[in-house]
Amino acid sequence: MDTNSLQLSPDLSGEVNEEVNDSPPSEDNIEVEPDSLVLMCFPASNKYEKLSADQREIRLVIVQQADDFADDIHCHTITISLDAVLFPYYALSYVWGDAGDTLPIYLNGNVHQVTRNLESALRHLRRLDILILWADAICINQSDFEERASQILLMKEIYSSSGHPTIVWFGECQDPSVLKRTIQWNSVPGKDHQALVVVGEELDDLSLEENVPIPANEASHAHLVFDFLARLGRGDHSYELPLYSIDDAGNFVSITPECRLLIEAFRIFVENPWWERMWVVQESAVPKTVKFVWGFRYLDMSTIIKAAGMINKHILKQCCSLDFGTNELEKLCGTFYLKMMAIAQIRSDTTGYIYLSTILLRHSYRLATDPRDRVYALLGLCDIQGSERGKKTISITYEYPVEEVYQRTAVFIIMDEDLLDVLLQVSGKRQLPSLPSWVPDWSVQQNCNPLSDGEHRANRITSYTNFLYGPSGSTNAIWYPPYLQVTSYSIDSIQAVGTRMDLSLESEYQTILQWQEVAGLPAQGGKRYPSSQMSISDAFWRTMIGDNVLEINEDGTEAGLGDGRIHFRQAVPDDEASWATLLGLLQNRDSAIPRERLVAMGHMESRFRDNASNRSFFVTEQGYFGLGPPEMQRGDQAVILSGARVPFVLRGHGEMELTMLAGEEYSISGVEGKMPGKLMCKEDTTIKGCLYEVLGDCYVHHFMQFDDDDDDRYRELLERRRRIFLK
């Protein structure tokens, strides 16, 4: 046999089962049975052989078995083509960890440094007979930027076509011998419950296939959490779980010591850095089967997704007659639900196309070592490369600086959607000072929230109006790097700005009072609001909630649209009573309020918080009320941008001249229904226009929709139409 050969049994349908001879394994030769993987005498080499992008080649790493868990790790790489995968392999999803905290393994006969977490994964998975792997840190030459870029294009297929489940490595689990706590779950009358942990085999005998329980007095964090999720996944209600003591009447008494242990373990699970890593989205969303491996325990992702769904049904929506008795576990469950369902939504998507802007929003709380990977890691999920819907591809290259990658991404999104929704993500913290104001700073980690604040506000408005701004039409945007030329319709100049609403300080009532002073209330409460028949007093409370409230059914539940979305409606005069009740509560939080008023007030408070949080109230020169970014100043402009769903606040920076050179191409989005593409300049041309900085989206009351083309505001806007540049 050639020293470079790899022999496999003809039957590739099952698991690869390695058996080691009685003699200790050596790095030069492993003797195995005929029906097993044979790995012999790979020559020592520190170099990565060049991969062929045309042949779609990838590397796999083959780990040698060992007699003892603590034995050195020996492995070799082989090259295969994704067009001719001869045997299944396990794709690994994990967190690199601290790049400076490394341990040695033997790769192709030479010492090779890997991060501590990857070394631990190889050591544990070797014990579980998971030996043929794809792991990015080993299988991609990380020092070759060209190879990294080409391999990113193959990652979706690497994880979806492996033939074996993708392994999500959650890290080492706390040694059960350290816990030494006896776990006894209370049985629920009338329910047939299997004990949480039962006496089983020793830990060293656990395998991925058997998943044998561990002794009851040695329950690991993984065992506690996975059993909890498995119970929820099979449909157990929270009150059916032994989390708290109840009296004979079914009333809550106290949480159990076992529940405290579960909270400790579940917090470690929910706060695991795997949830925060950007690359794991694709790695866990595209494979058919995914298994979470934590130490020597595992649980299928399908069960974990079911558990997340049950958490939403039974706990977050409180369908149960009892809650947990403490919001500590409930908060952890809520965080887990958001993180898990963000991946589950992609796995269940059947449209075949996911907008890049949407997925960037859903996973903006995740991190990547290279900020360019905040975009690159998600491209495979959007079918951008070669997609029929993609009007322009995003070049994956690490030669571009971060700012240019983000700018090109924003342009692609505008062209792909023919909307300016990407501007809804620009407000808030920014850490790339040279990034244009119209480009989101995706390097900033956001909260675990599937939508940005701006996207939430836009969705609420468009859920009860036909609002895509009547006068706006197509985006008609042209990219003159680094400027974006767009069409604007000026609403008015901002005259006065209130303080920022900081809900974390519980000073909402004092801020509202200050906003009322800016609005001229209560002295001018009866004054008529511009372009309407309402008073400014009426316009003020409507502005506070964005003039929309949640549609409530007769039984007090939230009304839906039949597709999982919540339905909002425009506010009516009767809703003012709920606003008055909310003001009373904010003024005196200890006040007694009838229950029927509390229900309506609760929904009113959520609308107020969603609409006003981290915003400032403003009044324009013509007297329009609005809420916008706290950075606003007197003289800033409230405008409508063609292709935007909500108005924006811009800050003027004078006029500018831009010279277009003959032969140069500029990206252009849809114009009057035409497809986006390139604008070729036939001769040197100088264009002039006003330059503006984007501060963020805003709400302008009674200026969010138009009844028909005869509306006076519509005609006035058309008269104020002009082309501007965003810097």
Side-chain angles (χ1 to χ4, degrees):
M1 179 183 298
D2 287 342
T3 58
N4 290 331
S5 66
L6 176 68
Q7 294 186 354
L8 298 169
S9 68
D11 182 11
L12 303 179
S13 60
E15 304 258 335
V16 175
N17 180 25
E18 293 199 44
E19 295 183 8
V20 183
N21 277 350
D22 293 336
S23 58
S26 70
E27 67 182 54
D28 296 325
N29 190 13
I30 299 180
E31 298 290 337
V32 294
E33 295 297 328
D35 290 336
S36 300
L37 173 68
V38 178
L39 180 66
M40 299 186 64
C41 298
F42 284 80
S45 174
N46 284 319
K47 297 181 179 180
Y48 281 101
E49 297 293 334
K50 196 71 174 178
L51 295 177
S52 171
D54 293 338
Q55 297 182 24
R56 297 172 5 104
E57 288 184 339
I58 67 170
R59 299 184 189 91
L60 296 179
V61 59
I62 301 178
V63 184
Q64 294 184 15
Q65 286 184 318
D67 284 341
D68 190 79
F69 179 78
D71 285 350
D72 290 340
I73 298 173
H74 292 265
C75 49
H76 292 81
T77 57
I78 61 170
T79 300
I80 66 168
S81 169
L82 285 175
D83 294 326
V85 180
L86 300 178
F87 49 86
Y89 58 90
Y90 293 91
L92 185 62
S93 177
Y94 68 105
V95 176
W96 277 30
D98 185 356
D101 185 11
T102 63
L103 292 172
I105 65 171
Y106 290 92
L107 179 64
N108 298 332
N110 294 279
V111 175
H112 184 81
Q113 295 292 328
V114 296
T115 61
R116 181 177 297 273
N117 192 44
L118 178 55
E119 194 270 355
S120 177
L122 296 175
R123 188 173 299 280
H124 282 75
L125 296 178
R126 177 180 66 179
R127 189 58 177 268
L128 297 173
D129 288 338
I130 298 177
L131 303 172
I132 307 179
L133 296 162
W134 187 91
D136 60 351
I138 298 177
C139 297
I140 298 178
N141 183 359
Q142 299 296 324
S143 62
D144 186 338
F145 282 177
E146 182 180 352
E147 179 175 306
R148 284 173 59 186
S150 64
Q151 290 285 288
I152 287 175
L153 299 177
L154 302 176
M155 298 247 318
K156 182 177 182 179
E157 192 168 350
I158 289 173
Y159 280 88
S160 62
S161 306
S162 63
H164 276 324
T166 287
I167 301 298
V168 171
W169 171 247
F170 242 55
E172 297 181 7
C173 191
Q174 183 170 348
D175 187 346
S177 63
V178 176
L179 291 178
K180 291 294 184 182
R181 294 162 174 164
T182 300
I183 309 298
Q184 295 179 345
W185 287 70
N186 302 324
S187 61
V188 178
K191 295 291 181 179
D192 181 18
H193 281 297
Q194 182 181 358
L196 171 69
V197 286
V198 296
V199 176
E201 303 297 329
E202 294 297 325
L203 181 66
D204 288 347
D205 293 331
L206 294 180
S207 69
L208 191 63
E209 290 80 13
E210 296 173 350
N211 203 30
V212 179
I214 58 177
N217 64 340
E218 295 184 355
S220 69
H221 287 151
H223 194 90
L224 289 169
V225 172
F226 286 172
D227 184 85
F228 171 64
L229 295 176
R231 287 173 180 265
L232 289 175
R234 74 183 184 188
D236 288 6
H237 289 71
S238 63
Y239 61 81
E240 295 173 330
L241 300 176
L243 301 173
Y244 37 63
S245 302
I246 56 176
D247 58 24
D248 294 338
N251 299 314
F252 169 81
V253 177
S254 64
I255 63 173
T256 63
E258 292 78 21
C259 182
R260 284 293 177 193
L261 295 179
L262 175 62
I263 291 174
E264 174 189 343
F266 199 53
R267 177 178 291 106
I268 294 174
F269 177 77
V270 172
E271 295 177 355
N272 189 292
W274 182 87
W275 296 107
E276 311 299 326
R277 182 171 171 259
M278 187 64 78
W279 282 107
V280 307
V281 180
Q282 179 174 241
E283 295 167 1
S284 57
V286 300
K288 181 179 180 181
T289 307
V290 180
K291 295 188 182 296
F292 278 59
V293 180
W294 192 4
F296 290 107
R297 309 295 299 177
Y298 88 92
L299 191 63
D300 195 274
M301 177 179 277
S302 61
T303 300
I304 299 177
I305 291 175
K306 290 178 182 177
M310 290 301 175
I311 282 175
N312 183 52
K313 178 180 179 180
H314 295 314
I315 300 174
L316 302 182
K317 291 188 176 179
Q318 297 181 341
C319 82
C320 304
S321 58
L322 289 173
D323 58 20
F324 281 127
T326 172
N327 63 4
E328 192 173 4
L329 184 55
E330 184 174 334
K331 288 181 179 178
L332 290 173
C333 286
T335 302
F336 161 70
Y337 170 78
L338 288 176
K339 292 180 176 181
M340 187 71 262
M341 295 312 294
I343 295 174
Q345 287 173 353
I346 301 175
R347 290 180 62 86
S348 62
D349 182 81
T350 58
T351 64
Y353 188 89
I354 303 175
Y355 283 109
L356 180 58
S357 61
T358 300
I359 200 168
L360 282 169
L361 274 173
R362 288 179 181 174
H363 300 280
S364 59
Y365 63 91
R366 298 182 184 273
L367 296 172
T369 304
D370 190 322
R372 289 166 291 196
D373 287 338
R374 299 288 296 273
V375 173
Y376 291 163
L378 301 174
L379 294 185
L381 297 170
C382 305
D383 289 331
I384 287 174
Q385 301 293 333
S387 169
E388 293 182 0
R389 292 202 57 168
K391 286 81 173 179
K392 180 183 183 299
T393 58
I394 295 178
S395 299
I396 298 177
T397 174
Y398 288 92
E399 296 177 357
Y400 291 154
V402 177
E403 291 83 354
E404 185 169 354
V405 172
Y406 287 0
Q407 195 172 164
R408 289 175 178 270
T409 301
V411 170
F412 168 81
I413 291 173
I414 292 170
M415 296 177 64
D416 189 41
E417 300 178 356
D418 195 19
L419 289 172
L420 291 181
D421 273 12
V422 70
L423 270 64
L424 294 169
Q425 305 177 43
V426 302
S427 59
K429 180 182 177 182
R430 297 171 73 85
Q431 57 189 23
L432 296 175
S434 61
L435 197 66
S437 66
W438 56 273
V439 178
D441 189 347
W442 285 298
S443 68
V444 177
Q445 185 184 27
Q446 306 294 338
N447 294 327
C448 181
N449 196 319
L451 294 176
S452 70
D453 291 337
E455 190 79 1
H456 271 304
R457 290 187 288 267
N459 286 347
R460 283 197 300 274
I461 292 168
T462 56
S463 71
Y464 69 89
T465 72
N466 56 0
F467 177 80
L468 268 177
Y469 268 133
S472 66
S474 298
T475 56
N476 194 10
I478 304 177
W479 180 39
Y480 302 103
Y483 306 108
L484 186 71
Q485 188 184 42
V486 296
T487 300
S488 75
Y489 303 83
S490 176
I491 295 176
D492 200 4
S493 179
I494 294 175
Q495 185 181 56
V497 180
T499 58
R500 172 177 169 269
M501 177 65 72
D502 189 345
L503 299 180
S504 64
L505 300 178
E506 294 190 355
S507 58
E508 305 101 317
Y509 184 72
Q510 295 302 319
T511 302
I512 292 173
L513 291 181
Q514 195 270 340
W515 286 2
Q516 287 178 333
E517 291 180 7
V518 174
L521 296 173
Q524 303 179 47
K527 182 180 177 181
R528 180 170 296 181
Y529 187 74
S531 303
S532 73
Q533 299 299 315
M534 72 181 72
S535 66
I536 66 170
S537 178
D538 189 29
F540 181 83
W541 72 263
R542 288 174 178 269
T543 300
M544 295 298 99
I545 61 172
D547 202 22
N548 72 89
V549 295
L550 191 65
E551 188 74 57
I552 305 299
N553 297 320
E554 293 182 358
D555 60 359
T557 59
E558 300 171 350
L561 297 176
D563 57 0
R565 293 181 297 159
I566 298 174
H567 181 249
F568 295 92
R569 61 170 173 80
Q570 193 165 7
V572 296
D574 289 346
D575 294 318
E576 186 175 6
S578 297
W579 170 253
T581 302
L582 174 60
L583 277 182
L585 177 65
L586 295 177
Q587 182 180 12
N588 182 10
R589 292 183 174 274
D590 297 328
S591 60
I593 300 175
R595 180 173 178 79
E596 61 272 12
R597 298 301 306 154
L598 276 174
V599 174
M601 182 276 299
H603 296 297
M604 180 67 68
E605 182 178 19
S606 67
R607 300 285 65 76
F608 164 68
R609 287 177 172 271
D610 289 344
N611 203 55
S613 177
N614 198 34
R615 310 280 272 176
S616 291
F617 176 77
F618 67 84
V619 181
T620 72
E621 289 184 353
Q622 297 181 50
Y624 289 107
F625 294 167
L627 294 172
E631 297 82 9
M632 293 180 300
Q633 298 175 4
R634 178 186 176 92
D636 291 337
Q637 299 291 313
V639 304
I640 295 172
L641 298 178
S642 185
R645 292 194 288 164
V646 293
F648 283 84
V649 176
L650 307 181
R651 178 166 297 162
H653 287 268
E655 291 194 2
M656 65 167 289
E657 289 187 0
L658 185 66
T659 301
M660 301 170 59
L661 301 178
E664 289 191 347
E665 290 185 333
Y666 300 90
S667 297
I668 182 170
S669 64
V671 181
E672 297 180 355
K674 296 180 180 180
M675 292 292 289
K678 292 287 188 178
L679 173 67
M680 173 69 76
C681 187
K682 297 181 179 180
E683 59 183 16
D684 290 357
T685 305
T686 299
I687 54 177
K688 298 180 179 180
C690 292
L691 185 64
Y692 287 91
E693 173 188 356
V694 180
L695 299 183
D697 65 283
C698 69
Y699 170 86
V700 183
H701 184 63
H702 202 52
F703 231 104
M704 306 301 292
Q705 67 182 114
F706 299 89
D707 298 330
D708 51 52
D709 291 352
D710 294 329
D711 193 297
D712 290 340
R713 291 167 296 159
Y714 183 89
R715 292 194 297 270
E716 291 174 2
L717 282 175
L718 291 181
E719 294 174 358
R720 296 196 291 271
R721 178 185 185 275
R722 60 176 176 166
R723 297 286 285 173
I724 64 172
F725 291 98
L726 303 180
K727 68 183 290 287

